[in-house]
Amino acid sequence: MSFSAPSMENGFSSPRNESFPAGLRVLVVDDDPTWLKILEKMLKKCSYEVTTCGLAREALKLLRERKDGYDIVISDVNMPDMDGFKLLEHVGLEMDLPVLMMSVDGETSRVMKGVQHGACDYLLKPIRMKELRNIWQHVFRKKIHEIRDIESHDSYDGIQISRNGSELSDDGHMFCGEDLAYVKKRKDFENKHDDIGDHSSTKKHRVVWSVDLHQKFVKAVNQIGFDSKYEVGPKKILDLMNVPWLTRENVASHLQKYRLYLSRLQKENDLKASLGGIKLSDLPSKDPAGSFGLQSSINGNQNDVPNGRYQFSGDNFFAQDVDSKNHEGDLKRVVSETKRTLTADLPDPQDMRTQMSFDHSFGSLDSEVNFAAIPAPYSWSKAPENQFKEEHKPLLQLEDGFSQLPPSGIHNHIQIDDPLQSASSITSGLSMTGREICGPEKIKPLYPQYSSNHMSILSPKESAFDSFPVQSKSQMVKHQSFEPISTAISSMKPQGFNLSCITDFESCQRNLISATDSTFEPFNEDLTVCWLEGDCHSMNFGLPNVEFTDYIDPGFIAEFPIYLCDTLTSDTECPFDPPEYSIVDQGLFLS
DNA sequence: AAACGAATAT
DNA sequence: AATATTCGTT
């Protein structure tokens, strides 16, 4: 049950490289003491370090206290104090740990919900040893993704180049000349025919900033910020995004909106801060208005694919949940970004670092593969360089959305993945980024007040932050149905498996580490506390969906404040260690 | 000329 | 509301 404190500095679990899976720090959450015992026993047999907890809130507390104290979480779905889904959400948002859900019933909708919200796997009780033995795969998978992300960030140059040729996108998908050509042809075709009638034709292709696309955008922004040598501007962002059909104007427009959004966020924060409110505990979760209403896009791909192919239109089951997650993630990032902007550098909360990753995948399939790939003595801290190959999914593109559905997991993954990447990777240069974006220094006085307080945040109800909206697929469909691009495919990442492996291992590692290690414990106790309490749920992700609401809870969102807050002031430069922030990725979408 | 960013249009 | 376009600057 105890984890070795010392070891976890870098996010990776302890450095006991040797016996690979052994020592995996598992947090088991279940209100049923019997199961708790059973699981503990079984897990210990697997040589894992086990910590048990009967209350979800307590589990959250433990996790928050030691951000790097655990490698994986196994939680029951049905618990009195907090529903397992909520816990899942929190974990996904705050600490990016793999979470396994479990319950006695295997009702499809619940399993789906769990998976959509980021559960790596869903186990049905009674759980047997064989199901626990390989849970380390989820941890391992995550590490790989992190590395991959970082790597992608490092390859700034490469990316730029890629615009013209074929290259792997962040997602690991290939954009190739062919695609471009295809796109172009399509466009021409459409233009010629004008629309008349065809839905297909002509419409202007409005770019829909889906979560996925936005994530790319944010990632690019962060990256630029990171390398401070560059100023953040549409052009650079565009280059980094590596989305062939996107134009500088598109990016400029989005950036404008993004900046507005950030400034709004700030104002809100400031306000709240000044009010001093800190209590939030009561607020219910839903935030009415404000929210980040994101639209959903189940397909995550859509962005990539302007055509909007698969969208379900209306609805969405999946989408919603997924979105919500993303949103949340966005928020965080946004927040963090905002913070940065404001303050420039602060030590940031460790939380951020990894957190965002939501890549959860369906583990099973992958697992085997990974396993094989993994070199035997693998240390947690390192990732296997390239052992894996990327698997792309064949394009599924399909014209209709449905086809994709089946693999339920996929959707989630897609969206989720990105967040992770971005989050993890960026870490260090944060402050810069923020500034750049908002341009504190150079820019106008957007958020003057900022410096002052720490956060406090929020409340939310009203929603202060409202939104940065992302569009949903359905929308996309309408508008873009015909957009050019074929890249779409790229977006799909099926289970989280396609990792592109890293090439520059070293650098990756370096980054990871830096990112990970937390230098500071950022928050004040107060804040933290309140945060913990779950009160601050400031954010709203306005999600209309019923489902979503169910599990979202106030606490869920609460995080916002934390990130935001910083006290430090700003602007100056970014000193040395930038804290690891995650970036704001998706936050924009609100609607 | 190229790229920005704010304003304005759709 | 979300993007696209325009327009004056740099």
Side-chain angles (χ1 to χ4, degrees), chain A residues 179-438:
Chain A
D179 289 341
L180 291 175
Y182 168 71
V183 171
K184 188 163 198 262
K185 278 180 190 169
R186 187 173 184 142
K187 246 185 192 165
D188 291 345
F189 179 83
E190 289 176 5
N191 291 333
K192 284 180 185 174
H193 291 270
D194 248 23
D195 21 257
I196 302 183
D198 240 28
H199 53 304
S200 59
S201 44
T202 340
K203 310 203 153 167
K204 24 226 66 241
H205 346 38
R206 286 189 104 203
V207 171
V208 174
W209 287 86
S210 59
V211 173
D212 205 52
L213 191 60
H214 179 65
Q215 289 183 340
K216 283 186 177 172
F217 168 86
V218 176
K219 226 190 216 170
V221 170
N222 288 324
Q223 197 174 333
I224 294 170
F226 207 14
D227 287 325
S228 57
K229 13 184 180 176
Y230 310 92
E231 295 258 317
V232 173
K235 183 72 186 305
K236 271 149 213 154
I237 295 171
L238 176 64
D239 291 341
L240 284 174
M241 287 177 72
N242 191 27
V243 176
W245 47 274
L246 204 60
T247 67
R248 187 172 58 77
E249 285 72 26
N250 293 143
V251 176
S253 182
H254 190 66
L255 180 59
Q256 183 173 42
K257 185 174 109 180
Y258 184 62
R259 283 171 168 155
L260 281 171
Y261 169 71
L262 291 179
S263 66
R264 214 181 16 164
L265 255 185
Q266 280 233 348
K267 279 183 188 169
E268 294 278 339
N269 289 337
D270 291 347
L271 260 175
K272 292 187 177 179
S274 62
L275 293 178
I278 307 188
K279 56 192 334 24
L280 326 167
S281 28
D282 330 279
L283 310 182
S285 39
K286 35 197 32 343
D287 309 350
S291 32
F292 254 28
L294 311 183
Q295 318 227 351
S296 33
S297 45
I298 297 184
N299 312 291
N301 312 330
Q302 3 169 184
N303 293 321
D304 295 311
V305 183
N307 297 332
R309 311 171 163 178
Y310 1 115
Q311 325 205 348
F312 300 114
S313 2
D315 13 138
N316 22 207
F317 261 38
F318 303 88
Q320 299 183 346
D321 291 343
V322 172
D323 287 346
S324 58
K325 242 188 184 176
N326 289 338
H327 293 304
E328 294 175 1
D330 291 347
L331 277 180
K332 277 187 175 180
R333 293 179 203 153
V334 172
V335 173
S336 61
E337 195 162 356
T338 306
K339 179 206 233 159
R340 283 186 237 145
T341 311
L342 296 179
T343 38
D345 354 308
L346 284 183
D348 59 325
Q350 307 175 336
D351 317 339
M352 299 311 297
R353 56 156 121 147
T354 337
Q355 74 245 37
M356 322 266 245
S357 57
F358 292 89
D359 58 323
H360 304 295
S361 29
F362 275 30
S364 30
L365 300 180
D366 304 5
S367 61
E368 303 263 318
V369 176
N370 289 335
F371 198 1
I374 301 173
Y378 182 86
S379 66
W380 288 101
S381 49
K382 308 183 164 186
E385 329 221 335
N386 323 309
Q387 323 225 351
F388 308 81
K389 304 177 147 187
E390 329 186 308
E391 285 190 350
H392 298 248
K393 255 181 170 173
L395 325 181
L396 311 179
Q397 294 271 331
L398 333 179
E399 312 272 273
D400 35 22
F402 292 87
S403 35
Q404 298 184 348
L405 279 183
S408 51
I410 295 176
H411 304 302
N412 295 328
H413 293 306
I414 296 174
Q415 300 197 340
I416 294 172
D417 281 348
D418 280 357
L420 277 181
Q421 301 181 353
S422 28
S424 53
S425 41
I426 305 179
T427 351
S428 10
L430 314 177
S431 42
M432 313 270 315
T433 310
R435 291 188 216 147
E436 310 233 33
I437 295 182
C438 292

Side-chain angles (χ1 to χ4, degrees), chain A residues 154-184:
Chain A
D154 287 346
S155 56
Y156 182 80
D157 292 277
I159 292 175
Q160 284 187 307
I161 293 172
S162 65
R163 287 198 73 189
N164 315 330
S166 60
E167 176 160 325
L168 286 177
S169 64
D170 314 89
D171 302 314
H173 292 281
M174 194 84 101
F175 287 101
C176 56
E178 229 183 27
D179 289 341
L180 291 175
Y182 168 71
V183 171
K184 188 163 198 262

